[in-house]
Amino acid sequence: MSTQLPLRARLAATATRGVAAFSRATGRGDGSVIGGRVGLGIDPRLLRRLAANRQVALVSGTNGKTTTTRLTAAAIGVLGPVASNPFGANLPNGHVSALALAPDTDHAVLEVDEHYLPHACDAAQPRVIAMLNLTRDQLDRAMEVAMIAKLWRDTVRGRHLHVVANADDPMVVWAADAAEEVSWVAAGQRWHDDSAVCPECGSAIERVPHANGTAIHWRCTGCALARPKAQWTLDDEAVIDPDGNRHDVKLNLPGRVNRANAAMALAVAARFGVRPNDALPRLAEVTSVAGRYAVVERDGKAIRLLLAKNPAGWLEAFDMAEQAPTLLCINARDPDGLDTSWLFDVDFAPLRGRRVLISGDRAYDLGVRLAVNGVDFVHVRSFTDALAAMPDGRVEAIANYTAFQQIRAELNRVD
Ligand SMILES: [Zn+2]
């Protein structure tokens, strides 16, 4: 496929690979961002050219997109090699790198930042888009949820593509509903605060627990927007496909959240002709995603790293964490958002009764929140001090973005 590219695009793709390799060799990260930037500088249409003639799936949403991208690429891997951006470089530079580094694949699965979905759609002409969820990413950006839902809705309207969407998120449903074809997945929604109001008419969204106690039906009290019937559902440890077949999902990733991510991946892969039974063994091989979920042995402790970037992410992390001593680490640097008042939107009660240590630039803000929530804790100055203070055995470490990267660095860059 690369031989069909025009000369400028071939040079640009070669430069992308070269710069990325140089960046890796000199220890400056995986090089996908800088490599893509150089490639796009040489040929601004490089993404479009590299995506042409491939079958592309895009994965977007506030939370879970890196994991779902990884699972989807694993599932579609049944059909052959897949180009992907597995480390979360989800802007055009990262997409160019992912495709330039795997020039001859028939399939590509790309994680896309929520804001860039229109751009990625124009350039990559995807066959399938997976829409996971939309919640506030940082308090600074809280007002953007409805705006992004509108952006997505306008993006899919009138395009010839298939959307795989979370039926439990009203914002996602409203966006996906404008698409020609949709597969609905009962992927769940723990965080309701950002979809309390209907994006169509502004009325309140009403939620009613299902008779089976798990799914929650929702509907707008002012218009016809309501939870669609899901073709793909979850039942404890299993995913049920549109034909009603039950598939036991054995993942090496924790929590119901990741089983829901697996259901999304299976639904996307099915659009490419991959049967769940063929995909499931490959999903089980995914053990760590960009350092997340990895269990690292250190000083008699088995430390698992969980990333929580926003309120919805914290609730999901509590779902994934085992009943074990837990380190919470919070910074408030630029990538984290500077305002930590969101801490008061998150219910930390699931941590009551556990040994809880806190650390990070904003440990004191967190401490106040935990005190109000009735969770006992001890403050430590560093990750090393936290390890020294923990008993041997399993330790859960939940951190926001820059705190997570710090811990990862201290553990020598877990892959
Ligand atoms: Zn409404």
Side-chain angles (χ1 to χ4, degrees), residues 197-205 219-225:
V197 171
C198 174
E200 175 69 27
C201 75
S203 302
I205 299 273
R219 66 177 185 88
C220 174
T221 54
C223 72
L225 188 71

Side-chain angles (χ1 to χ4, degrees), residues 46-391:
L46 186 57
L47 180 54
R48 186 180 301 266
R49 298 195 207 279
L50 289 172
N53 305 319
R54 297 198 225 212
Q55 313 254 1
V56 178
L58 303 180
V59 178
S60 198
T62 310
N63 286 318
K65 51 186 178 289
T66 305
T67 304
T68 307
T69 297
R70 184 71 179 275
L71 293 171
T72 304
I76 294 178
V78 167
L79 303 173
V82 176
S84 191
N85 51 341
F87 299 110
N90 59 21
L91 301 177
N93 292 338
H95 300 150
V96 162
S97 270
L99 298 178
L101 290 169
D104 298 316
T105 69
D106 292 332
H107 295 91
V109 178
L110 299 176
E111 170 184 339
V112 181
D113 179 276
E114 305 87 278
H115 301 78
Y116 278 82
L117 196 63
H119 176 276
C121 258
D122 286 341
Q125 298 290 316
R127 189 166 146 189
V128 181
I129 300 177
M131 296 182 173
L132 306 179
N133 50 65
L134 281 174
T135 63
R136 76 186 76 170
D137 203 7
Q138 304 152 359
L139 195 69
D140 323 30
R141 289 164 57 176
M143 295 311 288
E144 291 186 11
V145 174
M147 206 185 77
I148 293 175
K150 172 81 165 58
L151 188 72
W152 283 15
R153 188 172 162 87
D154 293 343
T155 300
V156 298
R157 182 184 281 120
R159 280 185 204 259
H160 182 59
L161 51 73
H162 190 96
V163 175
V164 172
N166 181 359
D168 292 316
D169 186 327
M171 291 292 172
V172 164
V173 169
W174 182 68
D177 206 32
E180 219 168 65
E181 290 174 25
V182 187
S183 298
W184 299 108
V185 181
Q189 188 194 39
R190 277 190 164 61
W191 180 259
H192 296 157
D193 291 22
D194 294 321
S195 53
V197 171
C198 174
E200 175 69 27
C201 75
S203 302
I205 299 273
E206 180 183 70
R207 291 180 162 86
V208 186
H210 254 198
N212 68 16
T214 51
I216 291 180
H217 186 73
W218 59 263
R219 66 177 185 88
C220 174
T221 54
C223 72
L225 188 71
R227 184 184 189 275
K229 184 170 165 35
Q231 286 94 36
W232 294 79
T233 57
L234 280 93
D235 174 8
D236 293 327
E237 308 288 311
V239 169
I240 297 153
D241 71 22
D243 297 325
N245 300 312
R246 246 182 94 89
H247 305 277
D248 282 337
V249 177
K250 301 226 182 325
L251 295 180
N252 278 303
L253 306 177
R256 185 191 186 279
V257 172
N258 281 321
R259 288 197 291 283
N261 290 337
M264 294 291 296
L266 292 175
V268 173
R271 298 303 307 175
F272 292 84
V274 177
R275 293 178 308 179
N277 281 341
D278 295 331
L280 282 163
R282 288 171 177 263
L283 301 192
E285 289 169 10
V286 178
T287 54
S288 152
V289 178
R292 293 166 221 181
Y293 319 117
V295 176
V296 183
E297 305 282 340
R298 186 65 46 94
D299 303 336
K301 280 90 178 168
I303 309 139
R304 178 163 57 187
L305 294 182
L306 297 169
L307 173 68
K309 291 186 290 190
N310 48 48
W314 280 88
L315 295 189
E316 293 177 357
F318 297 154
D319 166 71
M320 294 183 229
E322 284 181 13
Q323 285 285 341
T326 301
L327 170 68
L328 307 176
C329 197
I330 291 192
N331 285 349
R333 303 176 190 181
D334 268 338
D336 307 309
L338 303 179
D339 184 339
T340 54
S341 60
W342 58 266
L343 284 167
F344 284 83
D345 296 329
V346 175
D347 182 10
F348 286 82
L351 299 177
R352 274 183 210 147
R354 285 188 214 182
R355 180 166 173 76
V356 173
L357 272 62
I358 64 171
S359 184
D361 301 345
R362 295 301 185 96
Y364 290 107
D365 298 350
L366 175 60
V368 172
R369 173 64 187 118
L370 292 177
V372 170
N373 228 174
V375 177
D376 293 333
F377 63 89
V378 173
H379 175 240
V380 288
R381 301 182 69 86
S382 67
F383 180 65
T384 311
D385 289 356
L387 285 188
M390 294 281 195

